Amino acid sequence: MTTFNFKRAPAPPGPTRPTSPARVGRPRKGGQQLKVGNLLREQPHWDLLDDVMFLDKPSGRDKLCTEVGIEIEPSSRLFQTNQKLAELHQMVKGVLQQGVAREERGRLYIEVQTAPPEDLHPYRDVPESEHELVNLMAQDRYEYLEQLRQKNLVKRWRFFMTCTSRATAKFSKEARPTPEELVATVRKADAAAASLLGYLRGAGYEARRMSSNEMFKLAYRYLNPGRASGRLPNWVPPEKRVKVVPTQPKGKAARPRERLFTLKEQLFQTPVNNEDMSHLRIGPTGQQKHVGTVSLARVPQRTVTGMLARVLEKLDASTYYVVLEFDHNDPMETDKKLEVSKNRLFSQMGSGTKEAPNVKAQAKLRDLNQTIKHLTSTGDHTYRVGMTLVLIADSAEELRQAKESAVSACAIVPGSGLVKHDFQSLFQWFSLIPFNGQRGQFMFEATETTASDFFPPVAPWKGGDRPTWVVRTRQNSLANVDFFTGPTNANHFAVFAPTGYGKTFTVMSLLSAHIRAHNPFVTVVDRKEDFKFFIRSLSDDQKKNSAVVPFYPGAATQLNPMDLPEGDTKPDAVKQAFLLALVRYFVPPSSNSREAGEEKALILEALSQTYRRVKREGRSPLLSEFAATLNAMEMYSDGGPIAGEQQALARSIALRLRPVLGEDSPWGPILDRPTNVNTHAQFMYYDLSGIADSDMEMRRVALHIVNDRIWQAAKRLPRSVRKIAFIDEFGSQIQTEEDKAFVSTTLRLARSSNLAFGLATQTLEDMNRISGMEEAIYWYLLGRLEGGEQVIRDVLKLPDSVSREISLLKEGRGFKEWALIYRSKDGPKNGDIIKVEESRRSYWYLTSEPGEAARRDEYLKRYGNLKDAVQAILNEEAA
Ligand SMILES: Nc1ncnc2c1ncn2[C@@H]1O[C@H](COP(=O)(O)OP(=O)(O)O)[C@@H](O)[C@H]1O
Ligand SMILES: [Mg+2]
């Protein structure tokens, strides 16, 4: 343990030194400017020691006291069910009753600040990719977000709980503590922090004790709002504080003076101006922040758990603190007080005449009796509770609007009333400085039940750990998505939204971010040529690392579905399942289940014999060779004879395959041929646009074959190489049990070969078709959808509130809202409402709106490269 220097700091020299002490909170008419020097005098902050703030006689206390801090993270908004809230409520009561000791004061700060520049650096600092387009987009995205940040539109939400603890002995700056007293005081504060931490964790909050430096920074941000989102100074501990020798006037004997930067001098760096009658101005002239406070005036008539979340959702302010105070009354004292009030009211009641008793006193007594009954029956303690919003704005007008918005947001809390502090803001702002051991002036008595209702239940979600794809949540905080969590663990994703909502756009944005971060192999299957441009643009002409495969009858493509991965001579279980399902497209199983079973056995037998036959030739067999085997099969592989009845069945299957494989059939010229296209490129694009929308059968066959290619690539490439496969309009491909079995095996096995599957479809009901597979899908993106309540509830096992949320998603110029959900198998579900948005430049890289795509093609021809083409379009747009 380090000890700190208790030497008293002299007042800072120079112009900041006050000529006459100003009284905080009681400005003269017209207010009075308070400068750094004045502030120092008024504050109890003494110093930090081992993560404990020591306070010198904070107002209302005769003793030194300490305060500790804990940073907490509430869970995300999207999944707050009423039941969960009720549970939370019980646990929060424990936090207040046990976590904040009697006669101590707990405080909760919700800090909503413009994110500091560092918050965006992880997105900027991802190493360059070898693919030009994704670099351009990533850089563009960083600049776009940085611009938003500078306009205060990228936020960081943080939650802190602080709690006071009395010192063990009476000491102060004048009567210094002994080292033993110091140790004992720190121990006591530690115990208070540990208890609070335990109760907060018990209530389901992620919670962490704050270090001295973190405590310093919270106070610093609060006190210096103009610098809060820039680079913050670190706390300088006593042993590192510099000695400053002020320059002496010439002639006088040099008398070097030791000058220590006290904690207070480190904290109070910004002048405060209280001249205005309506609010505070904090900061040097020209860069002032306008600060106002509003508080709840009375205990609300009714409260509900989690109401704060609803208030904050309505609050339209850019930067603010919500400060909740919970001053734990001693229950004995409360009892005594209540008894006294009761007696007083009794006697007041008698003061009316016999005919007209004192009605007011009667009503009060009724209320009082109710409160006493509630306290005795629930064991609730009572608290003095305060809730204040500290609003920070760049201009007086912005502050006025924020205040208005606060008033209307707080109207949700019935009967509470709101005090706008106006010029008194200084006073309230002061009394709420973090870690000052004080109590605010605007508090009301409340029971534990009511007090707990004020606790914040939710926070915006931060998404995954890795800064791969970054988006803003509805609350303008940042959230991350990455489909690869562990070193070899791919997570599948599913995108649901009606046509035109932006599935393709969103997935391209996701893909570009993942290509930058992971350089994966990517396969895209598309029905509308929407991805074609994007995939083509990923590759440059020399590398030829992208391939476009037109895959529909009539195209010159040949793709043998019987191909095996290099080196294999017989199909593995997955390949077998694939081929079986493929044959079943053309030869549906018999309705007689015994016969269907025999057919299956015969198909598998013929497959294995066909592969065995061509093994020596070192090539893949063709489907017509498989049909020939079926036709001629007489023996099983183990040497047993095939009975006549089954031989006939096998020949019948072969017969039914004939028309599908013929020269004039749609598929024969493509499938019953050796493969003639590159299916090994890093960026594969299968274009199914030549298949009519109505031709479901044909599309299913095509998708089925592409799936097999994806799977082969996954097997061919080492596990360390990441892979992504994205299939648009996926729902329609799953029709039969075989389809389902194949896809479900693929999804299951894909994860372990580091292949993330992405599926997009139009309605949530399509989820029913792949039910059982939802276990394998971790990320969900839901656009504005009507219906699907049953899927949300039964398949995704999410609360009904999510259905309502997704039907109310908003869209605006250049953005669409989506519900982003992370739903891992065992871990907690998490998610939030996010905005999918791109800069105007990236928009032009991605749009597939036909008119815009045509314009881009035209400019591309004219300028020869995408970057210049898009720049020319942007220039024209700007003109
Ligand atoms: N988040 C977005 N921001 C801006 N424009 C978008 C966004 N999402 C979609 N768009 C526009 O809408 C068009 C249609 O979207 P698209 O992704 O093709 O929809 P879907 O695939 O769901 O049918 C896009 O080409 C693009 O111009
Ligand atoms: Mg689309």
Side-chain angles (χ1 to χ4, degrees):
M1 191 170 105
T2 54
T3 53
F4 57 75
N5 197 328
F6 281 90
K7 206 168 267 178
R8 249 186 130 165
T16 51
R17 188 166 200 164
T19 43
S20 62
R23 299 216 26 215
V24 173
R26 298 250 187 88
R28 277 183 274 119
K29 202 158 188 244
Q32 174 168 18
Q33 180 150 14
L34 293 172
K35 289 183 180 152
V36 175
N38 313 54
L39 301 183
L40 287 174
R41 193 160 300 187
E42 302 290 334
Q43 293 310 309
H45 298 93
W46 188 356
D47 221 326
L48 281 155
L49 175 65
D50 289 352
D51 311 338
V52 177
M53 178 71 83
F54 278 70
L55 298 154
D56 190 39
K57 288 188 276 183
S59 63
R61 295 177 185 257
D62 62 338
K63 274 199 200 176
L64 180 140
C65 104
T66 60
E67 189 151 11
V68 292
I70 288 169
E71 180 158 10
I72 62 174
E73 230 172 87
S75 64
S76 67
R77 205 168 68 85
L78 211 48
F79 304 110
Q80 220 45 268
T81 58
N82 288 340
Q83 190 205 338
K84 257 174 111 178
L85 279 178
E87 282 167 24
L88 180 73
H89 184 85
Q90 277 308 317
M91 303 309 288
V92 165
K93 286 178 74 167
V95 172
L96 293 183
Q97 194 172 102
Q98 310 296 330
V100 179
R102 283 172 201 186
E103 301 198 288
E104 296 298 351
R105 187 271 289 135
R107 253 188 207 164
L108 207 138
Y109 289 85
I110 302 176
E111 185 185 35
V112 183
Q113 284 278 2
T114 294
E118 301 90 87
D119 279 16
L120 290 174
H121 291 174
Y123 311 102
R124 185 194 59 183
D125 298 339
V126 175
E128 287 273 300
S129 152
E130 58 191 84
H131 311 290
E132 180 63 14
L133 177 65
V134 301
N135 282 337
L136 285 177
M137 282 186 61
Q139 195 194 344
D140 193 49
R141 179 153 201 83
Y142 167 73
E143 281 162 13
Y144 176 68
L145 287 172
E146 175 58 22
Q147 260 174 25
L148 288 172
R149 194 193 69 79
Q150 283 170 14
K151 288 188 218 149
N152 293 327
L153 291 171
V154 178
K155 294 287 161 198
R156 187 196 259 190
W157 284 63
R158 303 177 74 176
F159 297 75
F160 305 94
M161 178 130 194
T162 73
C163 188
T164 59
S165 160
R166 263 156 297 174
T168 45
K170 197 164 176 167
F171 53 80
S172 67
K173 276 187 179 174
E174 290 79 27
R176 309 260 170 81
T178 63
E180 292 74 34
E181 280 172 333
L182 263 187
V183 173
T185 307
V186 168
R187 292 249 164 85
K188 185 155 183 272
D190 281 348
S195 150
L196 183 57
L197 199 65
Y199 281 98
L200 283 166
R201 287 191 178 142
Y205 293 102
E206 272 182 44
R208 203 173 46 73
R209 174 92 183 261
M210 292 166 79
S211 69
S212 291
N213 195 29
E214 289 168 330
M215 293 167 75
F216 169 79
K217 285 188 171 173
L218 171 58
Y220 185 92
R221 291 193 297 268
Y222 182 93
L223 289 163
N224 306 283
R227 309 185 192 182
S229 56
R231 197 173 290 283
L232 295 184
N234 280 317
W235 172 60
V236 182
E239 62 276 13
K240 295 227 178 89
R241 288 175 194 165
V242 265
K243 286 177 184 170
V244 179
V245 183
T247 43
Q248 297 291 314
K250 251 192 195 144
K252 282 199 176 178
R255 194 165 56 87
R257 206 168 48 157
E258 183 184 72
R259 188 166 121 58
L260 298 168
F261 279 104
T262 63
L263 173 67
K264 281 200 275 187
E265 284 169 320
Q266 294 181 49
L267 280 174
F268 292 84
Q269 295 281 328
T270 304
V272 177
N273 185 313
N274 197 29
E275 283 166 329
D276 226 298
M277 287 305 279
S278 64
H279 64 276
L280 279 177
R281 280 179 281 143
I282 304 181
T285 323
Q287 306 158 33
Q288 285 172 332
K289 293 284 181 185
H290 298 253
V291 177
T293 58
V294 292
S295 302
L296 282 197
R298 296 179 286 279
V299 61
Q301 281 159 357
R302 260 178 304 111
T303 55
V304 290
T305 313
M307 61 186 180
L308 189 59
R310 303 222 316 265
V311 171
L312 296 190
E313 217 168 283
K314 282 207 145 185
L315 179 63
D316 184 16
S318 124
T319 305
Y320 58 91
Y321 289 87
V322 183
V323 187
L324 297 170
E325 294 192 88
F326 304 96
D327 195 358
H328 193 162
N329 294 326
D330 184 344
M332 308 275 271
E333 288 294 316
T334 307
D335 285 353
K336 254 188 245 159
K337 267 195 216 154
L338 288 171
E339 203 57 41
V340 171
S341 313
K342 202 168 149 180
N343 290 339
R344 206 188 51 229
L345 286 171
F346 253 129
S347 55
Q348 274 180 16
M349 255 169 61
S351 74
T353 59
K354 274 236 159 61
E355 292 73 33
N358 187 333
V359 187
K360 245 185 173 167
Q362 245 180 1
K364 275 191 179 165
L365 187 62
R366 231 183 356 254
D367 280 355
L368 191 63
N369 276 329
Q370 248 179 12
T371 308
I372 294 172
K373 213 170 127 196
H374 173 88
L375 294 181
T376 38
S377 67
T378 56
D380 267 14
H381 289 187
T382 65
Y383 299 80
R384 282 162 45 77
V385 176
M387 175 178 143
T388 300
L389 295 169
V390 178
L391 303 163
I392 301 159
D394 284 336
S395 68
E397 175 56 22
E398 189 194 326
L399 181 64
R400 197 190 58 74
Q401 285 174 8
K403 277 193 200 169
E404 290 297 308
S405 148
V407 172
S408 66
C410 286
I412 303 175
V413 186
S416 60
L418 211 61
V419 191
K420 286 198 255 178
H421 297 304
D422 296 340
F423 74 84
Q424 291 274 20
S425 285
L426 177 67
F427 194 52
Q428 187 66 355
W429 181 70
F430 262 145
S431 52
L432 297 178
I433 295 174
F435 308 107
N436 67 356
Q438 296 180 2
R439 292 159 164 84
Q441 297 300 304
F442 291 83
M443 314 259 271
F444 42 79
E445 295 285 344
T447 63
E448 197 172 298
T449 303
T450 305
S452 315
D453 282 339
F454 280 92
F455 230 72
V458 290
W461 190 44
K462 295 190 177 129
D465 298 333
R466 267 197 232 187
T468 298
W469 191 58
V470 56
V471 282
R472 292 193 299 161
T473 65
R474 187 183 273 175
Q475 267 116 339
N476 286 343
S477 60
L478 297 173
N480 292 330
V481 174
D482 189 298
F483 298 142
F484 301 96
T485 46
T488 55
N489 249 347
N491 294 322
H492 306 320
F493 60 102
V495 184
F496 295 89
T499 305
Y501 193 76
K503 294 185 290 298
T504 303
F505 191 89
T506 304
V507 170
M508 284 192 278
S509 171
L510 273 161
L511 286 181
S512 75
H514 280 80
I515 292 169
R516 175 124 191 275
H518 300 298
N519 201 21
F521 272 63
V522 178
T523 306
V524 171
V525 187
D526 184 11
R527 288 173 48 198
K528 295 193 205 145
E529 300 192 88
D530 284 351
F531 277 91
K532 199 182 213 159
F533 179 80
F534 175 70
I535 298 283
R536 275 229 172 100
S537 313
L538 284 173
S539 135
D540 51 52
D541 291 341
Q542 295 95 50
K543 283 202 212 112
K544 297 228 180 324
N545 51 3
S546 80
V548 172
V549 177
F551 192 48
Y552 40 82
T557 303
Q558 295 176 191
L559 204 63
N560 178 7
M562 295 192 77
D563 285 345
L564 290 180
E566 198 130 336
D568 282 10
T569 52
K570 60 176 196 232
D572 62 8
V574 182
K575 184 81 191 185
Q576 271 185 5
F578 155 69
L579 288 169
L580 180 64
L582 181 67
V583 173
R584 283 316 204 182
Y585 282 122
F586 305 126
V587 187
S590 157
S591 54
N592 177 326
S593 69
R594 189 182 63 93
E595 205 169 273
E598 287 175 7
E599 284 171 358
K600 181 177 165 183
L602 290 165
I603 293 169
L604 292 176
E605 179 61 39
L607 281 173
S608 106
Q609 291 193 17
T610 314
Y611 275 104
R612 200 139 20 88
R613 207 141 37 81
V614 300
K615 190 171 160 185
R616 270 171 289 111
E617 300 168 40
R619 62 169 179 99
S620 305
L622 294 174
L623 280 173
S624 48
E625 288 173 297
F626 159 69
T629 312
L630 276 170
N631 234 340
M633 244 178 4
E634 284 173 0
M635 309 271 262
Y636 289 108
S637 306
D638 60 12
I642 301 179
E645 202 181 325
Q646 275 84 41
Q647 284 186 23
L649 197 56
R651 276 199 292 277
S652 144
I653 299 171
L655 186 68
R656 282 179 279 166
L657 271 175
R658 273 180 73 112
V660 215
L661 301 178
E663 196 58 49
D664 303 329
S665 72
W667 283 121
I670 300 179
L671 302 185
D672 195 20
R673 294 281 189 284
T675 302
N676 73 346
V677 287
N678 174 13
T679 59
H680 291 194
Q682 181 175 4
F683 305 117
M684 287 298 308
Y685 177 80
Y686 291 93
D687 166 15
L688 310 192
S689 62
I691 302 176
D693 262 4
S694 55
D695 204 339
M696 297 266 277
E697 279 300 303
M698 191 163 280
R699 202 162 53 239
R700 283 171 59 213
V701 171
L703 276 169
H704 191 65
I705 289 165
V706 174
N707 271 349
D708 172 59
R709 290 284 151 175
I710 294 168
W711 187 237
Q712 283 189 44
K715 278 195 72 183
R716 186 181 76 244
L717 298 160
R719 277 178 66 162
S720 58
V721 175
R722 300 191 159 103
K723 303 120 194 149
I724 297 177
F726 174 70
I727 301 177
D728 223 341
E729 311 296 346
F730 190 75
S732 60
Q733 114 153 309
I734 319 256
Q735 303 283 343
T736 64
E737 281 305 308
E738 271 93 357
D739 294 345
K740 217 170 132 170
F742 175 71
V743 175
S744 119
T745 319
T746 317
L747 287 186
R748 191 162 42 78
L749 296 177
R751 289 196 68 207
S752 57
S753 36
N754 225 348
L755 163 62
F757 250 98
L759 319 169
T761 188
Q762 291 175 16
T763 71
L764 269 169
E765 275 82 12
D766 284 336
M767 205 55 209
N768 283 328
R769 276 198 249 257
I770 56 170
S771 67
M773 283 171 243
E774 71 278 357
E775 294 285 299
I777 299 171
Y778 278 25
W779 291 96
Y780 287 86
L781 272 158
L782 309 179
R784 195 174 51 228
L785 293 158
E786 301 288 342
E789 290 85 358
Q790 169 263 334
V791 174
I792 298 260
R793 194 178 47 239
D794 303 336
V795 184
L796 300 180
K797 310 233 165 31
L798 296 171
D800 284 334
S801 54
V802 175
S803 306
R804 211 179 68 87
E805 292 277 0
I806 61 171
S807 67
L808 296 174
L809 291 173
K810 292 186 276 238
E811 62 188 289
R813 207 176 163 274
F815 80 91
K816 308 252 179 156
E817 281 187 342
W818 292 77
L820 172 68
I821 295 164
Y822 182 67
R823 188 191 159 286
S824 72
K825 202 168 180 177
D826 317 306
K829 297 176 189 114
N830 244 323
D832 212 328
I833 307 296
I834 59 155
K835 290 180 261 212
V836 173
E837 58 191 333
E838 289 289 349
S839 69
R840 202 59 196 154
R841 182 185 306 276
S842 288
Y843 175 88
W844 277 103
Y845 292 140
L846 298 185
T847 183
S848 51
E849 201 272 314
E852 292 173 345
R855 181 163 169 208
R856 182 178 56 205
D857 284 343
E858 185 194 316
Y859 278 65
L860 188 55
K861 246 182 234 141
R862 204 182 307 163
Y863 289 87
N865 72 74
L866 186 59
K867 196 176 162 190
D868 294 342
V870 165
Q871 187 58 51
I873 295 177
L874 292 177
N875 292 346
E876 264 173 37
E877 275 190 341

